[in-house]
Amino acid sequence: METKIYSKTKEVIIGDDQPTILIGERINPTGRSKLTKALEGGDYSLVLSEAESQVQAGADILDVNIGIAGADEAALLAEAIKQISATIDIPICIDTNNFGALAAALKAYQGKALINSVSGKQNDLREVLPLAKDHNACVIGLCMDDDGIPEDPDRRARIAGKIIDHAVALGFSEQDIIIDCMAMAIGAKPEAAKNTIKTIKLIKSEFGSLTTMGASNISFGLPDRKSLNGAFLTIAIFNGMNCPIVDVARMRQIALSADLLMGKDPYAGRYTTAYRERKS
Amino acid sequence: METKIYSKTKEVIIGDDQPTILIGERINPTGRSKLTKALEGGDYSLVLSEAESQVQAGADILDVNIGIAGADEAALLAEAIKQISATIDIPICIDTNNFGALAAALKAYQGKALINSVSGKQNDLREVLPLAKDHNACVIGLCMDDDGIPEDPDRRARIAGKIIDHAVALGFSEQDIIIDCMAMAIGAKPEAAKNTIKTIKLIKSEFGSLTTMGASNISFGLPDRKSLNGAFLTIAIFNGMNCPIVDVARMRQIALSADLLMGKDPYAGRYTTAYRERKS
């Protein structure tokens, strides 16, 4: 399966026969007080420099989350989308669970956006999917619903199926619903990684859908997060992960290695080019 | 499946429900002129310090290869085994394709050794297996025969089956034949990693055997070998690799991460302990 998202000037193909697409995770004020303060003051310079450095590090798509408690998220997010789009050319993944902010961001974005996210909650299915369809966007479907995030991969796959069914009924193409297979903290749940990998396999075998996940969640609360995130990302890619949301500067080399090992980079062209670029 | 090898004082369990066992690869003069010269002069101090540093890095078993063109390998290897055994307590993997050296090393070793290796070549099956059986050793069975190393995983598995059949006919327990699934340079063969992983899966499904490989081969000729080796090792462990032969100092953290992700390290006890030891 394969889909495309694009900005005004750049197209990204996400597909099973394509190299892994990396969605940069770092434009997100959660736990980052400097970024929060700057945004509260209407200062987008930090957001723009973060966007630029993620592009430099090799991000294919930029996740943009501007959720700050008490702030006017719709205004902040729309403005961030505008300013980022004027500065960098890669497509944006609009990351919000605020319906008004999503509507404002989609209005501000020029191109085919990726939306992060719709869940299997009745309210999301009713509100977010039609709005996404109106804007011809791709949507990340989370394997969670009104009962929370199930651990069981079969239950996760059932929620994914429900989201896909709703979307197709609204006129979406199947490939425009990208399933988030849910990575959880392994420090709390020893089966967390296995459950994500099983979910990826199930999603591929049952629906053939494209897949994503917030890869860094796996190492929450543990030391040496880079090693663990890298190992997890590698296994996930090998099992069908198409466009993970990651800290690109830390994970690009891992993704290049995994693509090479999967036979997606014959004679190591991308791998060695990236190595030379890092060294120069 | 599960087996044990041991030195005079230390036992190591290799098994599917056990943490990954790391066989240290660095006692090998190939391409290391200092080590070669020292050994030619009968000086084992470098070998002993390398052995010690691999134990410090977390090696569970030590691969010992003393192959030097023109030297009396039987005498050198037997002496190396004696000196290493007197200095460190972990079991040894005797690595030679010289029959006389293997016989001398097995005589010098006290415990249940691991032998690296027997292939599917008629000569190996006839000579090496009976000698190994006489010494109650475990043997690594290479998926190659008189026709070389096949790329096709099915053909590799057939060779493994032939070695296992011969060994069992001689009285070996199945678990004492550990199959080397063969890692080859991916820079030359784009399918190399996939072929190794498929071989691991086949070996597990057809024979249930324990598995090993020389993990570093995959990155031969490529830059940033550590990244690529790490990604490959991670995928291999997740698919059933039990006791890879690796540069332990570089790969231990990877193996700990992979074990944690597989649910073999509940609540990350080994992972965090190793982290603290590195930091202290």
PDB file of all heavy atoms in Angstrom, chain B residues 20-26 28 54 61-64 93 95 114-117 140 142 180 183 211-217 233 241-248 251:
ATOM      1  N   THR B  20      19.990 -13.441  25.964  1.00  0.00           N
ATOM      2  CA  THR B  20      20.944 -13.686  24.891  1.00  0.00           C
ATOM      3  C   THR B  20      22.344 -13.877  25.468  1.00  0.00           C
ATOM      4  O   THR B  20      22.779 -13.112  26.323  1.00  0.00           O
ATOM      5  CB  THR B  20      20.948 -12.486  23.925  1.00  0.00           C
ATOM      6  OG1 THR B  20      19.614 -12.298  23.447  1.00  0.00           O
ATOM      7  CG2 THR B  20      21.882 -12.726  22.754  1.00  0.00           C
ATOM      8  N   ILE B  21      23.017 -14.924  25.012  1.00  0.00           N
ATOM      9  CA  ILE B  21      24.385 -15.221  25.440  1.00  0.00           C
ATOM     10  C   ILE B  21      25.344 -14.627  24.407  1.00  0.00           C
ATOM     11  O   ILE B  21      25.199 -14.862  23.205  1.00  0.00           O
ATOM     12  CB  ILE B  21      24.566 -16.759  25.542  1.00  0.00           C
ATOM     13  CG1 ILE B  21      23.727 -17.316  26.701  1.00  0.00           C
ATOM     14  CG2 ILE B  21      26.042 -17.143  25.684  1.00  0.00           C
ATOM     15  CD1 ILE B  21      24.103 -16.782  28.072  1.00  0.00           C
ATOM     16  N   LEU B  22      26.309 -13.856  24.877  1.00  0.00           N
ATOM     17  CA  LEU B  22      27.239 -13.198  23.954  1.00  0.00           C
ATOM     18  C   LEU B  22      28.594 -13.914  23.946  1.00  0.00           C
ATOM     19  O   LEU B  22      29.233 -14.080  24.993  1.00  0.00           O
ATOM     20  CB  LEU B  22      27.424 -11.734  24.346  1.00  0.00           C
ATOM     21  CG  LEU B  22      26.145 -10.896  24.298  1.00  0.00           C
ATOM     22  CD1 LEU B  22      26.440  -9.457  24.720  1.00  0.00           C
ATOM     23  CD2 LEU B  22      25.499 -10.934  22.917  1.00  0.00           C
ATOM     24  N   ILE B  23      29.010 -14.339  22.751  1.00  0.00           N
ATOM     25  CA  ILE B  23      30.318 -14.981  22.578  1.00  0.00           C
ATOM     26  C   ILE B  23      31.285 -13.917  22.066  1.00  0.00           C
ATOM     27  O   ILE B  23      31.075 -13.335  21.002  1.00  0.00           O
ATOM     28  CB  ILE B  23      30.216 -16.146  21.569  1.00  0.00           C
ATOM     29  CG1 ILE B  23      29.133 -17.157  22.016  1.00  0.00           C
ATOM     30  CG2 ILE B  23      31.572 -16.831  21.403  1.00  0.00           C
ATOM     31  CD1 ILE B  23      28.903 -18.304  21.027  1.00  0.00           C
ATOM     32  N   GLY B  24      32.316 -13.644  22.844  1.00  0.00           N
ATOM     33  CA  GLY B  24      33.269 -12.578  22.488  1.00  0.00           C
ATOM     34  C   GLY B  24      34.157 -12.988  21.322  1.00  0.00           C
ATOM     35  O   GLY B  24      34.772 -14.055  21.354  1.00  0.00           O
ATOM     36  N   GLU B  25      34.255 -12.128  20.316  1.00  0.00           N
ATOM     37  CA  GLU B  25      34.921 -12.495  19.051  1.00  0.00           C
ATOM     38  C   GLU B  25      36.368 -12.043  18.947  1.00  0.00           C
ATOM     39  O   GLU B  25      37.042 -12.339  17.962  1.00  0.00           O
ATOM     40  CB  GLU B  25      34.150 -11.883  17.878  1.00  0.00           C
ATOM     41  CG  GLU B  25      34.319 -10.362  17.798  1.00  0.00           C
ATOM     42  CD  GLU B  25      33.573  -9.705  16.626  1.00  0.00           C
ATOM     43  OE1 GLU B  25      32.866 -10.391  15.875  1.00  0.00           O
ATOM     44  OE2 GLU B  25      33.718  -8.470  16.498  1.00  0.00           O
ATOM     45  N   ARG B  26      36.880 -11.311  19.936  1.00  0.00           N
ATOM     46  CA  ARG B  26      38.084 -10.541  19.664  1.00  0.00           C
ATOM     47  C   ARG B  26      39.417 -11.276  19.848  1.00  0.00           C
ATOM     48  O   ARG B  26      40.476 -10.716  19.562  1.00  0.00           O
ATOM     49  CB  ARG B  26      38.060  -9.231  20.449  1.00  0.00           C
ATOM     50  CG  ARG B  26      37.030  -8.270  19.816  1.00  0.00           C
ATOM     51  CD  ARG B  26      36.985  -6.927  20.466  1.00  0.00           C
ATOM     52  NE  ARG B  26      38.286  -6.324  20.633  1.00  0.00           N
ATOM     53  CZ  ARG B  26      38.946  -5.653  19.677  1.00  0.00           C
ATOM     54  NH1 ARG B  26      38.427  -5.509  18.488  1.00  0.00           N
ATOM     55  NH2 ARG B  26      40.140  -5.142  19.937  1.00  0.00           N
ATOM     56  N   ASN B  28      41.373 -13.210  18.047  1.00  0.00           N
ATOM     57  CA  ASN B  28      41.495 -13.689  16.666  1.00  0.00           C
ATOM     58  C   ASN B  28      42.549 -12.833  15.980  1.00  0.00           C
ATOM     59  O   ASN B  28      42.378 -11.619  15.861  1.00  0.00           O
ATOM     60  CB  ASN B  28      40.137 -13.542  15.957  1.00  0.00           C
ATOM     61  CG  ASN B  28      40.127 -14.203  14.595  1.00  0.00           C
ATOM     62  OD1 ASN B  28      41.147 -14.256  13.916  1.00  0.00           O
ATOM     63  ND2 ASN B  28      38.969 -14.699  14.200  1.00  0.00           N
ATOM     64  N   GLN B  54      37.167  -8.454  27.640  1.00  0.00           N
ATOM     65  CA  GLN B  54      35.882  -8.950  27.147  1.00  0.00           C
ATOM     66  C   GLN B  54      34.996  -9.449  28.295  1.00  0.00           C
ATOM     67  O   GLN B  54      33.780  -9.269  28.273  1.00  0.00           O
ATOM     68  CB  GLN B  54      36.094 -10.047  26.095  1.00  0.00           C
ATOM     69  CG  GLN B  54      36.605  -9.465  24.781  1.00  0.00           C
ATOM     70  CD  GLN B  54      36.644 -10.511  23.684  1.00  0.00           C
ATOM     71  OE1 GLN B  54      35.654 -10.771  23.025  1.00  0.00           O
ATOM     72  NE2 GLN B  54      37.799 -11.115  23.506  1.00  0.00           N
ATOM     73  N   ILE B  61      30.868 -16.085  26.962  1.00  0.00           N
ATOM     74  CA  ILE B  61      31.733 -17.144  26.442  1.00  0.00           C
ATOM     75  C   ILE B  61      32.807 -16.440  25.615  1.00  0.00           C
ATOM     76  O   ILE B  61      32.554 -15.382  25.038  1.00  0.00           O
ATOM     77  CB  ILE B  61      30.924 -18.112  25.529  1.00  0.00           C
ATOM     78  CG1 ILE B  61      29.816 -18.828  26.334  1.00  0.00           C
ATOM     79  CG2 ILE B  61      31.829 -19.116  24.837  1.00  0.00           C
ATOM     80  CD1 ILE B  61      28.826 -19.607  25.467  1.00  0.00           C
ATOM     81  N   LEU B  62      33.988 -17.041  25.558  1.00  0.00           N
ATOM     82  CA  LEU B  62      35.080 -16.413  24.812  1.00  0.00           C
ATOM     83  C   LEU B  62      35.443 -17.276  23.605  1.00  0.00           C
ATOM     84  O   LEU B  62      35.837 -18.432  23.771  1.00  0.00           O
ATOM     85  CB  LEU B  62      36.280 -16.299  25.749  1.00  0.00           C
ATOM     86  CG  LEU B  62      37.200 -15.126  25.597  1.00  0.00           C
ATOM     87  CD1 LEU B  62      36.444 -13.808  25.687  1.00  0.00           C
ATOM     88  CD2 LEU B  62      38.284 -15.193  26.662  1.00  0.00           C
ATOM     89  N   ASP B  63      35.302 -16.715  22.409  1.00  0.00           N
ATOM     90  CA  ASP B  63      35.772 -17.415  21.215  1.00  0.00           C
ATOM     91  C   ASP B  63      37.285 -17.244  21.146  1.00  0.00           C
ATOM     92  O   ASP B  63      37.803 -16.129  21.259  1.00  0.00           O
ATOM     93  CB  ASP B  63      35.111 -16.829  19.961  1.00  0.00           C
ATOM     94  CG  ASP B  63      35.446 -17.630  18.705  1.00  0.00           C
ATOM     95  OD1 ASP B  63      36.467 -17.318  18.052  1.00  0.00           O
ATOM     96  OD2 ASP B  63      34.686 -18.565  18.391  1.00  0.00           O
ATOM     97  N   VAL B  64      38.003 -18.362  20.975  1.00  0.00           N
ATOM     98  CA  VAL B  64      39.466 -18.296  20.913  1.00  0.00           C
ATOM     99  C   VAL B  64      39.936 -18.868  19.582  1.00  0.00           C
ATOM    100  O   VAL B  64      39.772 -20.057  19.302  1.00  0.00           O
ATOM    101  CB  VAL B  64      40.116 -19.058  22.091  1.00  0.00           C
ATOM    102  CG1 VAL B  64      41.646 -19.025  21.969  1.00  0.00           C
ATOM    103  CG2 VAL B  64      39.684 -18.451  23.423  1.00  0.00           C
ATOM    104  N   CYS B  93      34.944 -20.979  23.587  1.00  0.00           N
ATOM    105  CA  CYS B  93      34.506 -21.507  22.301  1.00  0.00           C
ATOM    106  C   CYS B  93      35.766 -21.691  21.459  1.00  0.00           C
ATOM    107  O   CYS B  93      36.441 -20.725  21.110  1.00  0.00           O
ATOM    108  CB  CYS B  93      33.542 -20.498  21.659  1.00  0.00           C
ATOM    109  SG  CYS B  93      33.035 -20.915  19.989  1.00  0.00           S
ATOM    110  N   ASP B  95      37.832 -22.130  18.408  1.00  0.00           N
ATOM    111  CA  ASP B  95      37.572 -21.714  17.035  1.00  0.00           C
ATOM    112  C   ASP B  95      38.752 -22.064  16.125  1.00  0.00           C
ATOM    113  O   ASP B  95      39.763 -21.356  16.101  1.00  0.00           O
ATOM    114  CB  ASP B  95      37.309 -20.197  17.034  1.00  0.00           C
ATOM    115  CG  ASP B  95      36.940 -19.652  15.659  1.00  0.00           C
ATOM    116  OD1 ASP B  95      36.899 -20.434  14.688  1.00  0.00           O
ATOM    117  OD2 ASP B  95      36.690 -18.432  15.583  1.00  0.00           O
ATOM    118  N   LEU B 114      32.561 -25.390  23.739  1.00  0.00           N
ATOM    119  CA  LEU B 114      31.795 -25.163  22.515  1.00  0.00           C
ATOM    120  C   LEU B 114      32.825 -25.179  21.392  1.00  0.00           C
ATOM    121  O   LEU B 114      33.889 -24.567  21.534  1.00  0.00           O
ATOM    122  CB  LEU B 114      31.088 -23.807  22.607  1.00  0.00           C
ATOM    123  CG  LEU B 114      30.273 -23.341  21.404  1.00  0.00           C
ATOM    124  CD1 LEU B 114      29.162 -24.331  21.050  1.00  0.00           C
ATOM    125  CD2 LEU B 114      29.657 -21.960  21.698  1.00  0.00           C
ATOM    126  N   ILE B 115      32.549 -25.900  20.315  1.00  0.00           N
ATOM    127  CA  ILE B 115      33.489 -25.977  19.196  1.00  0.00           C
ATOM    128  C   ILE B 115      32.960 -25.170  18.021  1.00  0.00           C
ATOM    129  O   ILE B 115      31.806 -25.333  17.611  1.00  0.00           O
ATOM    130  CB  ILE B 115      33.687 -27.450  18.753  1.00  0.00           C
ATOM    131  CG1 ILE B 115      34.368 -28.239  19.860  1.00  0.00           C
ATOM    132  CG2 ILE B 115      34.495 -27.522  17.453  1.00  0.00           C
ATOM    133  CD1 ILE B 115      34.459 -29.737  19.564  1.00  0.00           C
ATOM    134  N   ASN B 116      33.799 -24.323  17.483  1.00  0.00           N
ATOM    135  CA  ASN B 116      33.457 -23.494  16.322  1.00  0.00           C
ATOM    136  C   ASN B 116      34.420 -23.866  15.209  1.00  0.00           C
ATOM    137  O   ASN B 116      35.543 -23.359  15.200  1.00  0.00           O
ATOM    138  CB  ASN B 116      33.560 -22.004  16.699  1.00  0.00           C
ATOM    139  CG  ASN B 116      33.104 -21.086  15.596  1.00  0.00           C
ATOM    140  OD1 ASN B 116      32.618 -21.526  14.583  1.00  0.00           O
ATOM    141  ND2 ASN B 116      33.308 -19.775  15.801  1.00  0.00           N
ATOM    142  N   SER B 117      34.089 -24.802  14.330  1.00  0.00           N
ATOM    143  CA  SER B 117      32.776 -25.296  14.015  1.00  0.00           C
ATOM    144  C   SER B 117      32.887 -26.583  13.217  1.00  0.00           C
ATOM    145  O   SER B 117      33.964 -26.974  12.804  1.00  0.00           O
ATOM    146  CB  SER B 117      32.037 -24.263  13.151  1.00  0.00           C
ATOM    147  OG  SER B 117      32.867 -23.958  12.029  1.00  0.00           O
ATOM    148  N   ILE B 140      29.152 -25.933  17.044  1.00  0.00           N
ATOM    149  CA  ILE B 140      28.465 -25.014  16.137  1.00  0.00           C
ATOM    150  C   ILE B 140      28.467 -25.638  14.746  1.00  0.00           C
ATOM    151  O   ILE B 140      29.526 -25.984  14.209  1.00  0.00           O
ATOM    152  CB  ILE B 140      29.177 -23.641  16.101  1.00  0.00           C
ATOM    153  CG1 ILE B 140      29.021 -22.938  17.451  1.00  0.00           C
ATOM    154  CG2 ILE B 140      28.628 -22.779  14.960  1.00  0.00           C
ATOM    155  CD1 ILE B 140      29.762 -21.610  17.555  1.00  0.00           C
ATOM    156  N   LEU B 142      27.835 -25.133  10.887  1.00  0.00           N
ATOM    157  CA  LEU B 142      27.741 -24.073   9.871  1.00  0.00           C
ATOM    158  C   LEU B 142      26.843 -24.500   8.717  1.00  0.00           C
ATOM    159  O   LEU B 142      27.009 -25.606   8.185  1.00  0.00           O
ATOM    160  CB  LEU B 142      29.119 -23.789   9.254  1.00  0.00           C
ATOM    161  CG  LEU B 142      30.250 -23.261  10.109  1.00  0.00           C
ATOM    162  CD1 LEU B 142      31.452 -22.966   9.200  1.00  0.00           C
ATOM    163  CD2 LEU B 142      29.814 -22.006  10.841  1.00  0.00           C
ATOM    164  N   ASP B 180      24.873 -22.205  13.080  1.00  0.00           N
ATOM    165  CA  ASP B 180      25.315 -20.887  12.609  1.00  0.00           C
ATOM    166  C   ASP B 180      24.541 -20.567  11.332  1.00  0.00           C
ATOM    167  O   ASP B 180      24.729 -21.222  10.305  1.00  0.00           O
ATOM    168  CB  ASP B 180      26.822 -20.895  12.333  1.00  0.00           C
ATOM    169  CG  ASP B 180      27.355 -19.509  11.994  1.00  0.00           C
ATOM    170  OD1 ASP B 180      26.633 -18.718  11.355  1.00  0.00           O
ATOM    171  OD2 ASP B 180      28.506 -19.214  12.377  1.00  0.00           O
ATOM    172  N   ALA B 183      25.843 -15.086   8.544  1.00  0.00           N
ATOM    173  CA  ALA B 183      25.684 -13.669   8.186  1.00  0.00           C
ATOM    174  C   ALA B 183      26.745 -13.323   7.150  1.00  0.00           C
ATOM    175  O   ALA B 183      27.918 -13.610   7.343  1.00  0.00           O
ATOM    176  CB  ALA B 183      25.858 -12.805   9.432  1.00  0.00           C
ATOM    177  N   THR B 211      20.728 -21.189  18.034  1.00  0.00           N
ATOM    178  CA  THR B 211      21.335 -20.529  16.871  1.00  0.00           C
ATOM    179  C   THR B 211      22.443 -19.561  17.260  1.00  0.00           C
ATOM    180  O   THR B 211      22.431 -18.951  18.325  1.00  0.00           O
ATOM    181  CB  THR B 211      20.270 -19.724  16.096  1.00  0.00           C
ATOM    182  OG1 THR B 211      19.692 -18.767  16.986  1.00  0.00           O
ATOM    183  CG2 THR B 211      19.189 -20.618  15.526  1.00  0.00           C
ATOM    184  N   THR B 212      23.396 -19.416  16.346  1.00  0.00           N
ATOM    185  CA  THR B 212      24.463 -18.431  16.490  1.00  0.00           C
ATOM    186  C   THR B 212      24.730 -17.809  15.117  1.00  0.00           C
ATOM    187  O   THR B 212      24.121 -18.190  14.118  1.00  0.00           O
ATOM    188  CB  THR B 212      25.744 -19.081  17.061  1.00  0.00           C
ATOM    189  OG1 THR B 212      26.723 -18.067  17.286  1.00  0.00           O
ATOM    190  CG2 THR B 212      26.328 -20.120  16.108  1.00  0.00           C
ATOM    191  N   MET B 213      25.618 -16.829  15.082  1.00  0.00           N
ATOM    192  CA  MET B 213      26.119 -16.254  13.821  1.00  0.00           C
ATOM    193  C   MET B 213      27.288 -15.342  14.171  1.00  0.00           C
ATOM    194  O   MET B 213      27.393 -14.867  15.297  1.00  0.00           O
ATOM    195  CB  MET B 213      25.030 -15.446  13.098  1.00  0.00           C
ATOM    196  CG  MET B 213      24.574 -14.198  13.853  1.00  0.00           C
ATOM    197  SD  MET B 213      23.387 -13.217  12.876  1.00  0.00           S
ATOM    198  CE  MET B 213      23.093 -11.837  14.023  1.00  0.00           C
ATOM    199  N   GLY B 214      28.145 -15.108  13.205  1.00  0.00           N
ATOM    200  CA  GLY B 214      29.182 -14.083  13.337  1.00  0.00           C
ATOM    201  C   GLY B 214      28.565 -12.763  12.907  1.00  0.00           C
ATOM    202  O   GLY B 214      28.521 -12.445  11.724  1.00  0.00           O
ATOM    203  N   ALA B 215      28.048 -11.995  13.880  1.00  0.00           N
ATOM    204  CA  ALA B 215      27.174 -10.864  13.555  1.00  0.00           C
ATOM    205  C   ALA B 215      27.870  -9.777  12.742  1.00  0.00           C
ATOM    206  O   ALA B 215      27.260  -9.118  11.903  1.00  0.00           O
ATOM    207  CB  ALA B 215      26.607 -10.283  14.849  1.00  0.00           C
ATOM    208  N   SER B 216      29.157  -9.574  12.977  1.00  0.00           N
ATOM    209  CA  SER B 216      29.847  -8.431  12.355  1.00  0.00           C
ATOM    210  C   SER B 216      30.026  -8.584  10.847  1.00  0.00           C
ATOM    211  O   SER B 216      30.283  -7.595  10.154  1.00  0.00           O
ATOM    212  CB  SER B 216      31.229  -8.238  12.986  1.00  0.00           C
ATOM    213  OG  SER B 216      31.175  -8.405  14.371  1.00  0.00           O
ATOM    214  N   ASN B 217      29.919  -9.808  10.352  1.00  0.00           N
ATOM    215  CA  ASN B 217      30.109 -10.010   8.906  1.00  0.00           C
ATOM    216  C   ASN B 217      29.179  -9.136   8.073  1.00  0.00           C
ATOM    217  O   ASN B 217      29.525  -8.725   6.973  1.00  0.00           O
ATOM    218  CB  ASN B 217      29.826 -11.475   8.525  1.00  0.00           C
ATOM    219  CG  ASN B 217      30.803 -12.436   9.164  1.00  0.00           C
ATOM    220  OD1 ASN B 217      31.844 -12.026   9.659  1.00  0.00           O
ATOM    221  ND2 ASN B 217      30.465 -13.716   9.173  1.00  0.00           N
ATOM    222  N   LEU B 233      21.843  -7.231  14.750  1.00  0.00           N
ATOM    223  CA  LEU B 233      21.790  -8.077  15.944  1.00  0.00           C
ATOM    224  C   LEU B 233      20.416  -8.000  16.608  1.00  0.00           C
ATOM    225  O   LEU B 233      19.857  -9.018  17.037  1.00  0.00           O
ATOM    226  CB  LEU B 233      22.887  -7.646  16.931  1.00  0.00           C
ATOM    227  CG  LEU B 233      22.965  -8.459  18.220  1.00  0.00           C
ATOM    228  CD1 LEU B 233      23.313  -9.912  17.933  1.00  0.00           C
ATOM    229  CD2 LEU B 233      23.995  -7.855  19.181  1.00  0.00           C
ATOM    230  N   MET B 241      17.737 -15.566  17.585  1.00  0.00           N
ATOM    231  CA  MET B 241      19.189 -15.733  17.716  1.00  0.00           C
ATOM    232  C   MET B 241      19.534 -15.909  19.189  1.00  0.00           C
ATOM    233  O   MET B 241      19.218 -15.064  20.009  1.00  0.00           O
ATOM    234  CB  MET B 241      19.862 -14.481  17.131  1.00  0.00           C
ATOM    235  CG  MET B 241      21.358 -14.341  17.301  1.00  0.00           C
ATOM    236  SD  MET B 241      22.354 -15.734  16.708  1.00  0.00           S
ATOM    237  CE  MET B 241      21.669 -16.059  15.102  1.00  0.00           C
ATOM    238  N   ASN B 242      20.211 -17.020  19.551  1.00  0.00           N
ATOM    239  CA  ASN B 242      20.470 -17.323  20.962  1.00  0.00           C
ATOM    240  C   ASN B 242      21.834 -16.887  21.472  1.00  0.00           C
ATOM    241  O   ASN B 242      21.942 -16.398  22.592  1.00  0.00           O
ATOM    242  CB  ASN B 242      20.322 -18.825  21.212  1.00  0.00           C
ATOM    243  CG  ASN B 242      18.957 -19.357  20.868  1.00  0.00           C
ATOM    244  OD1 ASN B 242      18.802 -20.085  19.896  1.00  0.00           O
ATOM    245  ND2 ASN B 242      17.947 -18.983  21.633  1.00  0.00           N
ATOM    246  N   CYS B 243      22.896 -17.128  20.690  1.00  0.00           N
ATOM    247  CA  CYS B 243      24.244 -16.849  21.210  1.00  0.00           C
ATOM    248  C   CYS B 243      25.152 -16.314  20.093  1.00  0.00           C
ATOM    249  O   CYS B 243      26.071 -17.005  19.660  1.00  0.00           O
ATOM    250  CB  CYS B 243      24.835 -18.066  21.896  1.00  0.00           C
ATOM    251  SG  CYS B 243      24.846 -19.582  20.901  1.00  0.00           S
ATOM    252  N   PRO B 244      24.919 -15.076  19.659  1.00  0.00           N
ATOM    253  CA  PRO B 244      25.733 -14.488  18.586  1.00  0.00           C
ATOM    254  C   PRO B 244      27.184 -14.293  19.008  1.00  0.00           C
ATOM    255  O   PRO B 244      27.477 -14.112  20.191  1.00  0.00           O
ATOM    256  CB  PRO B 244      25.056 -13.146  18.337  1.00  0.00           C
ATOM    257  CG  PRO B 244      24.404 -12.810  19.647  1.00  0.00           C
ATOM    258  CD  PRO B 244      23.939 -14.128  20.202  1.00  0.00           C
ATOM    259  N   ILE B 245      28.063 -14.344  18.013  1.00  0.00           N
ATOM    260  CA  ILE B 245      29.483 -14.055  18.217  1.00  0.00           C
ATOM    261  C   ILE B 245      29.681 -12.588  17.849  1.00  0.00           C
ATOM    262  O   ILE B 245      29.438 -12.200  16.703  1.00  0.00           O
ATOM    263  CB  ILE B 245      30.347 -14.974  17.330  1.00  0.00           C
ATOM    264  CG1 ILE B 245      30.012 -16.442  17.659  1.00  0.00           C
ATOM    265  CG2 ILE B 245      31.832 -14.695  17.536  1.00  0.00           C
ATOM    266  CD1 ILE B 245      30.641 -17.444  16.697  1.00  0.00           C
ATOM    267  N   VAL B 246      30.089 -11.775  18.830  1.00  0.00           N
ATOM    268  CA  VAL B 246      30.084 -10.314  18.648  1.00  0.00           C
ATOM    269  C   VAL B 246      31.277  -9.650  19.335  1.00  0.00           C
ATOM    270  O   VAL B 246      31.975 -10.263  20.153  1.00  0.00           O
ATOM    271  CB  VAL B 246      28.799  -9.693  19.256  1.00  0.00           C
ATOM    272  CG1 VAL B 246      27.551 -10.193  18.548  1.00  0.00           C
ATOM    273  CG2 VAL B 246      28.715  -9.988  20.760  1.00  0.00           C
ATOM    274  N   ASP B 247      31.471  -8.379  18.993  1.00  0.00           N
ATOM    275  CA  ASP B 247      32.360  -7.515  19.763  1.00  0.00           C
ATOM    276  C   ASP B 247      31.547  -7.062  20.977  1.00  0.00           C
ATOM    277  O   ASP B 247      30.725  -6.157  20.890  1.00  0.00           O
ATOM    278  CB  ASP B 247      32.785  -6.335  18.893  1.00  0.00           C
ATOM    279  CG  ASP B 247      33.782  -5.426  19.604  1.00  0.00           C
ATOM    280  OD1 ASP B 247      33.922  -5.547  20.849  1.00  0.00           O
ATOM    281  OD2 ASP B 247      34.403  -4.599  18.931  1.00  0.00           O
ATOM    282  N   VAL B 248      31.781  -7.723  22.103  1.00  0.00           N
ATOM    283  CA  VAL B 248      30.888  -7.571  23.258  1.00  0.00           C
ATOM    284  C   VAL B 248      30.825  -6.134  23.759  1.00  0.00           C
ATOM    285  O   VAL B 248      29.753  -5.628  24.107  1.00  0.00           O
ATOM    286  CB  VAL B 248      31.313  -8.521  24.402  1.00  0.00           C
ATOM    287  CG1 VAL B 248      30.415  -8.333  25.618  1.00  0.00           C
ATOM    288  CG2 VAL B 248      31.255  -9.969  23.930  1.00  0.00           C
ATOM    289  N   MET B 251      28.368  -4.404  21.568  1.00  0.00           N
ATOM    290  CA  MET B 251      27.040  -4.980  21.329  1.00  0.00           C
ATOM    291  C   MET B 251      26.256  -5.356  22.579  1.00  0.00           C
ATOM    292  O   MET B 251      25.094  -5.733  22.489  1.00  0.00           O
ATOM    293  CB  MET B 251      27.175  -6.214  20.417  1.00  0.00           C
ATOM    294  CG  MET B 251      27.602  -5.876  18.990  1.00  0.00           C
ATOM    295  SD  MET B 251      26.351  -4.860  18.129  1.00  0.00           S
ATOM    296  CE  MET B 251      27.373  -3.515  17.514  1.00  0.00           C
TER     297      MET B 251
END
